[in-house]
Amino acid sequence: MTSESEAYVWIWLPGESSPVVAGRLSTLGPELVFNYGQSYLARNTAIAIYDRELPLEPGLHRPLTGLSMPSCIRDASPDAWGRRVLINRKLGKKGKDAELDELTYLLESGSDRVGALDFQRSPAAYVPRSGAQASLAELQLSAQRIDEGLPLRPDLDQALQHGSSLGGARPKVMLEDDDRKFIAKFSSASDLYNVVKAEFIAMRLAARAGLNVAPVELRRALGKDVLLIQRFDRSKVGDVWQRRAMVSALTLLELDEMMARYASYPALAEIVRHRFSQPKNTMRELFARIVFNVLCGNTDDHARNHAAFWDGQHLDLTPAYDICPQARTGNEASQAMLISEDNRMSQIAACLEAAPQFQLGVKDATEIVAHQVVTIRDQWSAVCDEAELSIVDRQVLWQRQFLNPFAFEQAPAELSALVS
């Protein structure tokens, strides 16, 4: 298969409803390098795609040390699920263990991707790659066939275009409903329990605990549950959609997937302290999210599952997303990101030890934990009823994912006493 050699990066500037070309992404040996276009640099409204990686300056911009492409560009590229969709389209069954080059992933995936970027072969004409209209049931069927490694009919292949630019490993697509846009997540053949409802419950409990969380809904398609997560990077003005630029925590930390194990919450808090517009409130919110991940069993809190809005000058934490309890066989678990410089164990004691890194005293940090424990304890039944979660799945989740005893080991006794 022929590899792509260049792509033009288009961007929606703040407050605008149509994109402009920002520059060219091209191969240079094993790297992808970027040049801003002269016409873009001449705009008085131009912003850097992300100033720490691609400052608004002429000339060749190479990736930061250790990276093969700018991480702020990689944020707009599909991860595991979107790549499976594209490989299925390109190679069918032959693509089971195949990979495409990064420029192909950018140029072939859907245009309604997360954030404010898109990629084209032309620097002059913007032509969006949009999926065909399809029902939720048809999209569910398409995702199921991809999940099983089966090729799609051409019409279903086009319908699934909406999900080809998405990150994460689970089957998903983009949906539009009047003045809102959603990411729809489907169940997977490999699920050991109702993962869709578990994520809905975690997201709803997080919101009830006072975290800033993306709104969620549950739907049904082909007798299966579908989770709808409302997008916060889109807003409709009149009849047109505006986009908000975003960068992941992996980009903020100047890392890529191969370095993700080095990502730490204290390092992210340090960036918040110096670069975010509301550092004190943001650090408190970030600490509360760590605590909730520990309490609900979401150990998949990797650095691409945290993000910030970027407007060319300021960074602001986005609403929380992808709060999904993970399967565990025993009690012991660890977070994807380090809670302190040398500890990632999924325990409240680790959170409390790290609290000063978030400019929180022991009293404030303990109160945040206690409030969340009480919220989960008291709201559990109501939220499970809202999700119509079966008794069997409640037993699977309660005190295995949610409020697992391991989380309270070495923590103050008054916190574990709140569970009962």
Side-chain angles (χ1 to χ4, degrees):
M1 175 176 292
T2 303
S3 297
E4 302 284 351
S5 60
E6 65 180 23
Y8 290 91
V9 181
W10 290 67
I11 186 171
W12 277 255
L13 293 169
E16 297 296 328
S17 55
S18 58
V20 296
V21 65
R24 184 182 64 178
L25 190 67
S26 56
T27 56
L28 181 63
E31 297 179 341
L32 288 182
V33 298
F34 180 78
N35 286 84
Y36 283 107
Q38 291 183 353
S39 62
Y40 184 75
L41 292 171
R43 288 178 175 271
N44 56 15
T45 56
I47 66 170
I49 294 175
Y50 179 56
D51 60 350
R52 292 302 176 99
E53 280 197 297
L54 302 177
L56 198 59
E57 300 169 354
L60 183 72
H61 295 275
R62 302 187 71 160
L64 298 178
T65 301
L67 306 184
S68 60
M69 66 184 293
S71 189
C72 58
I73 298 292
R74 177 63 179 83
D75 283 338
S77 183
D79 279 340
W81 170 252
R83 293 178 183 229
R84 287 177 66 186
V85 173
L86 293 171
I87 290 169
N88 180 285
R89 174 182 302 156
K90 290 282 189 180
L91 303 174
K93 285 187 175 182
K94 295 183 295 184
K96 182 179 180 182
D97 299 311
E99 281 290 343
L100 306 175
D101 63 275
E102 289 294 335
L103 284 175
T104 297
Y105 286 127
L106 294 173
L107 287 166
E108 296 286 343
S109 51
S111 291
D112 197 13
R113 64 189 72 244
V114 171
L117 299 181
D118 194 22
F119 306 90
Q120 300 277 309
R121 292 180 174 86
S122 168
Y126 179 77
V127 181
R129 297 176 298 281
S130 301
Q133 294 297 317
S135 68
L136 198 57
E138 288 173 317
L139 294 171
Q140 168 79 287
L141 179 61
S142 301
Q144 182 177 326
R145 289 184 66 83
I146 291 285
D147 201 30
E148 295 170 356
L150 300 174
L152 298 178
R153 301 195 317 260
D155 58 330
L156 292 182
D157 176 80
Q158 285 301 309
L160 212 62
Q161 176 78 10
H162 279 305
S164 62
S165 59
L166 291 171
R170 296 192 59 76
K172 57 179 74 69
V173 297
M174 305 284 199
L175 289 179
E176 182 175 333
D177 182 13
D178 296 327
D179 293 337
R180 298 180 299 170
K181 289 197 173 190
F182 297 93
I183 293 174
K185 289 187 176 182
F186 302 109
S187 59
S188 171
S190 61
D191 289 345
L192 301 177
Y193 55 93
N194 196 318
V195 175
V196 167
K197 285 187 175 180
E199 183 169 355
F200 172 83
I201 289 166
M203 294 282 282
R204 294 286 282 171
L205 285 171
R208 294 192 181 200
L211 296 182
N212 179 18
V213 179
V216 293
E217 300 177 16
L218 275 177
R219 301 270 181 93
R220 296 279 289 177
L222 298 178
K224 296 184 179 180
D225 298 301
V226 182
L227 177 67
L228 300 188
I229 304 172
Q230 188 172 331
R231 294 182 64 176
F232 44 73
D233 61 336
R234 297 289 187 270
S235 59
K236 198 168 189 180
V237 180
D239 294 328
V240 297
W241 289 95
Q242 295 181 348
R243 306 190 180 195
R244 295 189 70 177
M246 291 166 48
V247 289
S248 71
L250 203 61
T251 293
L252 296 173
L253 294 165
E254 301 182 0
L255 302 172
D256 68 6
E257 278 76 10
M258 299 302 292
M259 309 174 191
R261 65 186 181 278
Y262 301 115
S264 78
Y265 284 110
L268 183 55
E270 186 71 14
I271 294 169
V272 169
R273 190 183 298 71
H274 294 291
R275 303 209 63 214
F276 278 58
S277 58
Q278 300 181 56
K280 186 174 181 180
N281 290 341
T282 302
M283 282 190 287
R284 184 182 182 90
E285 171 77 12
L286 183 58
F287 177 81
R289 293 184 188 186
I290 303 169
V291 170
F292 192 83
N293 283 333
V294 168
L295 293 177
C296 81
N298 176 31
T299 54
D300 191 35
D301 58 334
H302 58 79
R304 284 209 192 277
N305 277 347
H306 302 277
F309 293 120
W310 165 249
D311 65 4
Q313 293 183 311
H314 306 103
L315 290 164
D316 293 281
L317 197 64
T318 71
Y321 55 96
D322 274 343
I323 304 178
C324 186
Q326 302 295 304
R328 60 204 287 179
T329 53
N331 283 345
E332 187 170 313
S334 58
Q335 300 303 123
M337 284 179 61
L338 289 156
I339 296 175
S340 62
E341 295 302 333
D342 60 354
N343 188 356
R344 65 175 79 243
M345 299 308 292
S346 305
Q347 294 186 300
I348 294 302
C351 299
L352 295 177
E353 182 181 354
Q357 300 288 331
F358 301 84
Q359 296 188 347
L360 290 170
V362 174
K363 182 175 182 294
D364 281 346
T366 303
E367 287 177 353
I368 289 171
V369 176
H371 173 67
Q372 291 191 13
V373 173
V374 170
T375 299
I376 294 171
R377 181 197 69 193
D378 292 351
Q379 300 294 322
W380 170 255
S381 292
V383 175
C384 287
D385 289 346
E386 182 184 358
E388 299 181 350
L389 189 70
S390 70
I391 297 299
V392 171
D393 277 335
R394 294 187 199 206
Q395 293 172 343
V396 167
L397 294 173
W398 184 249
Q399 291 195 298
R400 293 188 185 180
Q401 279 79 3
F402 291 86
L403 304 186
N404 189 297
F406 178 72
F408 297 95
E409 289 183 10
Q410 302 179 48
E414 62 266 25
L415 291 176
S416 56
L418 294 172
V419 176
S420 55

